[in-house]
Amino acid sequence: MLVSDFDFELPPELIAERPANPRDAARLLLWPSDGQEHLVRHLPDLLRPHDLLVFNDTRVIPARIDGRRERLPEVAVEALLLKPLGERLWSAMAKPGRRLKPGDAIIFQGDMRAEVAERGEGVDGLRLRLDRPDAEVIAALEAAGAMPLPPYIAARRTADAQDRSDYQTLFADKPGAVAAPTAGLHFTPELRSRLQQRGVSFAGVTLHVGAGTFLPVKAERVAEHRMHAEWGELGEATVAAIQAAKAAGGRVIAIGTTSLRLLESAARDGVLKPFRGETDIFITPGFEFRVADGLMTNFHLPKSTLLMLVAAFIGLDAQRALYAHAVASRYRFFSYGDSSLLWRSAS
């Protein structure tokens, strides 16, 4: 299967720069279609009692921070701190990365200091040794950092104070992500309450979304792509909630591709069980789904691994028809865009 099989033309004006207001006013494209126009706030009418929504409770860190290299000549540095590696060491990306050498000192906003420990290959090859423990690094980022907006938004505008709330989901709890699980951005307290009144339950997983989610697929063949790894956790309570929902005749709906990837990672050997660790699961057409019956997800980039996941879930022909309809009907795309509710082709 070729990566070009997942390409499509997207008019640039369909890329959303801000979310709908209120959040649940975003459009919701149902597949298979019932011929009706829906908004996210109509979700209670599209679900049934005993259905279970599984959300990702990761919290986005305002991990983009400005600084300067101490060594003369001084150089302005924009860094994205990705994740802690232990002993005050963090993986990072930086601009201009080529101007940084091992041993260089960087002074960031908020008087946080770092030393370049290593400059390796890959998206997260830069290693920075910070002057404080991880919890204090996160506190410093909360005070002085900016939200790490996706490249397709950052190329159009800079992150601002509004993104501090816009780019965080209702479920955000455990800090660690540098990208939002965007399907969860559409939920409001009112919508959650109406879903619960409908008899729909909620359960949580954690998947800390990394910068690799935005990496382009450079291989020509899908099988040649090396998937990035992300840390996740699915606990016993969520396993029990899934089992109870299915026993009652309910359906399990993943809120976002991140939740779905973790659900299927936890059932990779055929039995759903608690999971904790890194997953590099790569879901492409032909994948055998074991847990999720439905998927709520935004509209993804051409030739991306997330688009391949959608094609695996509903079928390649259905995915192409879905996206052709979304473009023709002027749905808003990507992180701040509209959403879809998809039922698995095998269901």
Side-chain angles (χ1 to χ4, degrees), residues 28-38 46 325 331:
L28 182 70
L29 181 53
L30 182 65
W31 190 271
S33 175
D34 61 358
Q36 304 295 315
E37 289 282 337
H38 297 286
L46 300 174
H325 177 76
Y331 279 76

Side-chain angles (χ1 to χ4, degrees), residues 43-121:
L43 198 54
D45 299 325
L46 300 174
L47 300 179
R48 305 191 300 239
H50 305 300
D51 283 347
L52 177 71
L53 298 182
V54 180
F55 60 85
N56 185 356
D57 66 4
T58 189
R59 183 174 183 83
V60 181
I61 304 170
R64 193 175 299 281
I65 190 166
D66 293 328
R68 57 182 174 84
R69 186 187 69 183
E70 270 193 317
R71 176 170 59 85
L72 296 177
E74 287 190 354
V75 175
V77 176
E78 180 188 275
L80 178 63
L81 301 186
L82 298 175
K83 62 181 178 181
L85 302 174
E87 299 182 2
R88 305 190 181 191
L89 191 69
W90 283 66
S91 64
M93 301 168 62
K95 297 178 183 179
R98 295 180 180 178
R99 303 289 296 275
L100 300 176
K101 298 180 179 179
D104 279 350
I106 304 171
I107 302 176
F108 289 114
Q109 291 177 334
D111 295 324
M112 184 168 63
R113 298 174 63 88
E115 178 184 313
V116 178
E118 181 184 348
R119 197 184 72 182
E121 300 296 326

Side-chain angles (χ1 to χ4, degrees), residues 28-267:
L28 182 70
L29 181 53
L30 182 65
W31 190 271
S33 175
D34 61 358
Q36 304 295 315
E37 289 282 337
H38 297 286
L39 303 178
V40 171
R41 64 170 58 123
H42 298 156
L43 198 54
D45 299 325
L46 300 174
L47 300 179
R48 305 191 300 239
H50 305 300
D51 283 347
L52 177 71
L53 298 182
V54 180
F55 60 85
N56 185 356
D57 66 4
T58 189
R59 183 174 183 83
V60 181
I61 304 170
R64 193 175 299 281
I65 190 166
D66 293 328
R68 57 182 174 84
R69 186 187 69 183
E70 270 193 317
R71 176 170 59 85
L72 296 177
E74 287 190 354
V75 175
V77 176
E78 180 188 275
L80 178 63
L81 301 186
L82 298 175
K83 62 181 178 181
L85 302 174
E87 299 182 2
R88 305 190 181 191
L89 191 69
W90 283 66
S91 64
M93 301 168 62
K95 297 178 183 179
R98 295 180 180 178
R99 303 289 296 275
L100 300 176
K101 298 180 179 179
D104 279 350
I106 304 171
I107 302 176
F108 289 114
Q109 291 177 334
D111 295 324
M112 184 168 63
R113 298 174 63 88
E115 178 184 313
V116 178
E118 181 184 348
R119 197 184 72 182
E121 300 296 326
V123 64
D124 60 350
L126 184 66
R127 301 288 186 265
L128 299 181
R129 195 172 304 281
L130 281 299
D131 66 349
R132 59 198 69 189
D134 295 343
E136 294 182 21
V137 170
I138 291 177
L141 292 172
E142 292 287 355
M147 278 298 194
L149 292 181
Y152 42 78
I153 297 178
R156 298 173 172 225
R157 65 173 181 84
T158 57
D160 55 27
Q162 186 176 333
D163 292 304
R164 285 286 187 126
S165 58
D166 283 351
Y167 202 54
Q168 206 75 269
T169 75
L170 174 70
F171 312 104
D173 179 45
K174 300 171 184 174
V178 294
T182 55
L185 294 178
H186 300 291
F187 285 79
T188 64
E190 295 77 14
L191 177 58
R192 179 171 57 183
S193 177
R194 289 176 51 231
L195 284 163
Q196 291 170 331
Q197 292 171 10
R198 172 70 169 156
V200 175
S201 300
F202 288 78
V205 298
T206 304
L207 185 74
H208 292 322
V209 193
T213 193
F214 300 120
L215 286 178
V217 178
K218 296 181 179 180
E220 290 187 8
R221 296 185 178 277
V222 172
E224 296 170 354
H225 176 68
R226 182 179 178 184
M227 193 68 174
H228 61 281
E230 295 169 323
W231 186 92
E233 182 174 15
L234 188 156
E236 292 182 1
T238 295
V239 171
I242 291 169
Q243 292 171 340
K246 287 184 176 286
R251 300 165 296 182
V252 175
I253 299 100
I255 304 176
T257 57
T258 61
S259 297
L260 185 140
R261 290 182 68 234
L262 194 53
L263 287 173
E264 299 301 332
S265 295

